[in-house]
């Protein structure tokens, strides 16, 4: 008997979800139906794909081999369906996007209305997470990552870059004065990141180099929290232009020491796990958002 695509989908869902019950909930079937499908698939193949106990599930060697091919087959089927959709010029389907909260808030949400008008067949699911996530575990199609990428098995596409600037509110500067040199920053309240110390290396040239390592008096894990603190006049901050350009334009934040800025631009990448041609709905979104990000390059 030949293996059917539905059986491949059930098998992959069980592995990705980690259990039969979780897979059943995801694909809208009963656990008993999923279990029967998995057993039927193993019967057709004449081998055990998954060793199942009451506490865990482990892929056999044959299961690992089959999983890799099953994913490829399902991706090729998705690609075929979406290529047909391309001919009709109607990209469709659910698109799960993950990004850090500041990027989602300032660089994606303002354009969602326009994107939905342009691609009404795409169902968006927008999730935020300031930590690097497992795309498969979170059922994410594409994640937007800011900064330098670590070596990874994921595929990445550059969406552009955003300058990083040193900023403060007019209220803070009125109360504490405007620093006239990089060294003078040491006399001010500096706002920094608590999670990634590399983000506390500000892009400022000085006598000892072109990065200024700060000792923040107030820290936060999120760039949006630091932005709000700066807007409230709590101190001086260094943030990417994509999340502060409106504040600068409106005069809520002022750029400090521009003549000392080393010109560093924070890379912005889309990462995804597919090893075939990008799904059409993903391609449409990335093309769309890349054009919008160009305005943050300043």
């Amino acid at each position: 008997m030949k293996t059917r695509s539905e059986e491949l989908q059930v098998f992959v869902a069980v592995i990705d979800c980690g259990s039969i019950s979780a897979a059943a909930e995801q694909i809208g079937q009963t656990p008993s139906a999923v279990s029967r499908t998995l057993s039927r698939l193993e019967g057709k193949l004449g081998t055990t794909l998954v060793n199942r106990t009451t506490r865990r599930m482990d892929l056999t060697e044959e299961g690992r081999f089959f999983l890799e091919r099953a994913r490829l087959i399902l991706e090729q089927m998705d690609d075929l369906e979406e290529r047909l959709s391309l001919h009709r010029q109607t990209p469709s389907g659910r698109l799960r996007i993950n990004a850090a909260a500041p990027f989602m808030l300032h660089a994606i949400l303002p354009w969602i209305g326009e994107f939905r008008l342009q691609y009404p067949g795409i169902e968006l699911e927008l999730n935020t997470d300031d930590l690097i996530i497992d795309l498969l575990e979170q059922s994410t199609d594409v994640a937007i990552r800011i900064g330098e990428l670590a070596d990874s098995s994921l595929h990445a596409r550059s969406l552009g870059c955003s300058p990083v600037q040193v900023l403060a509110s007019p209220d803070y500067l009125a109360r504490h004065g405007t620093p006239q040199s990089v060294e003078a920053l040491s006399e001010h309240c500096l706002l920094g990141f608590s999670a990634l110390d590399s983000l506390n290396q500000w892009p400022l040239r000085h006598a000892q180099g072109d990065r200024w390592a700060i000792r923040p008096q107030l820290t936060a894990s999120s760039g949006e929290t630091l932005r709000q603190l700066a807007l409230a006049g709590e101190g001086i901050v260094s943030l990417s232009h994509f999340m502060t350009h409106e504040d600068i334009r409106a005069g809520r934040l002022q750029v400090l020491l521009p003549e000392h800025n080393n010109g560093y631009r924070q890379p912005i990448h889309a990462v995804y796990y597919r090893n075939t041609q990008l799904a059409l709905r993903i391609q449409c979104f990335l093309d769309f958002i890349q054009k919008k990000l160009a305005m943050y390059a300043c």
Side-chain angles (χ1 to χ4, degrees):
M1 297 176 65
K2 294 183 178 180
T3 302
R4 297 184 300 173
S5 62
E6 294 85 353
E7 294 166 336
L8 299 183
Q9 291 169 340
V10 167
F11 171 63
V12 171
V14 168
I15 302 306
D16 287 347
C17 294
S19 70
I20 287 176
S21 58
E25 182 177 354
Q26 183 186 80
I27 63 181
Q29 296 185 15
T30 64
S32 59
V34 170
S35 182
R36 286 195 300 272
T37 299
L38 186 57
S39 297
R40 185 170 63 248
L41 176 61
E42 289 177 325
K44 289 181 178 181
L45 297 172
T47 188
T48 299
L49 299 174
V50 183
N51 288 321
R52 302 184 280 282
T53 68
T54 56
R55 293 188 176 182
R56 57 184 297 175
M57 303 178 63
D58 291 313
L59 280 170
T60 63
E61 185 65 25
E62 292 80 5
R64 285 191 289 271
F65 175 86
F66 189 75
L67 177 63
E68 182 180 346
R69 274 83 185 161
R71 287 197 197 282
L72 180 59
I73 290 169
L74 292 174
E75 289 174 2
Q76 289 173 338
M77 292 176 65
D78 286 345
D79 185 59
L80 176 59
E81 291 175 359
E82 291 183 350
R83 283 177 179 272
L84 292 174
S85 178
L86 177 61
H87 287 294
R88 299 193 300 270
Q89 295 297 312
T90 54
S92 61
R94 182 172 295 275
L95 177 58
R96 298 177 178 89
I97 302 167
N98 185 285
F103 191 85
M104 184 70 75
L105 179 63
H106 297 284
I108 294 181
L109 291 187
W111 310 110
I112 289 301
E114 182 179 340
F115 181 82
R116 295 184 66 207
L117 284 175
Q118 192 168 339
Y119 301 105
I122 297 179
E123 302 172 21
L124 291 172
E125 180 181 313
L126 307 177
N127 299 304
T128 58
D129 200 316
D130 289 329
L131 301 176
I132 294 177
I133 64 164
D134 185 311
L135 270 65
L136 281 176
E137 186 177 293
Q138 299 293 331
S139 298
T140 296
D141 293 304
V142 62
I144 309 299
R145 293 186 180 167
I146 313 300
E148 304 296 336
L149 287 179
D151 290 339
S152 171
S153 60
L154 296 172
H155 293 269
R157 168 176 164 177
S158 173
L159 298 179
C161 55
S162 180
V164 176
Q165 296 158 308
V166 177
L167 308 154
S169 71
D171 174 63
Y172 175 87
L173 298 175
R175 288 184 288 113
H176 300 281
T178 301
Q180 300 301 314
S181 68
V182 175
E183 290 74 15
L185 289 172
S186 301
E187 303 170 6
H188 289 264
C189 179
L190 306 182
L191 311 177
F193 286 86
S194 58
L196 292 174
D197 195 53
S198 62
L199 297 178
N200 294 328
Q201 301 281 329
W202 288 7
L204 295 173
R205 296 190 182 94
H206 55 98
Q208 284 73 46
D210 63 355
R211 305 283 286 185
W212 181 260
I214 69 161
R215 296 183 62 184
Q217 285 73 49
L218 184 56
T219 62
S221 61
S222 168
E224 180 59 24
T225 301
L226 293 176
R227 172 179 169 267
Q228 293 295 335
L229 287 169
L231 289 170
E234 293 298 328
I236 298 175
V237 73
S238 179
L239 293 172
S240 192
H241 191 66
F242 75 78
M243 64 184 299
T244 58
H245 68 285
E246 287 293 340
D247 298 321
I248 296 170
R249 183 187 60 81
R252 295 186 293 265
L253 291 176
Q254 293 181 15
V255 178
L256 304 181
L257 303 170
E259 67 280 9
H260 293 282
N261 195 292
N262 67 14
Y264 172 70
R265 293 168 180 264
Q266 208 169 35
I268 302 172
H269 288 91
V271 296
Y272 49 92
Y273 63 84
R274 286 177 181 262
N275 58 5
T276 57
Q277 183 174 344
L278 275 179
L280 177 60
R281 63 186 181 279
I282 300 176
Q283 186 72 53
C284 289
F285 173 77
L286 296 183
D287 289 345
F288 176 89
I289 206 66
Q290 185 170 23
K291 292 179 181 177
K292 300 304 181 184
L293 287 175
M295 67 180 59
Y296 304 135
C298 81

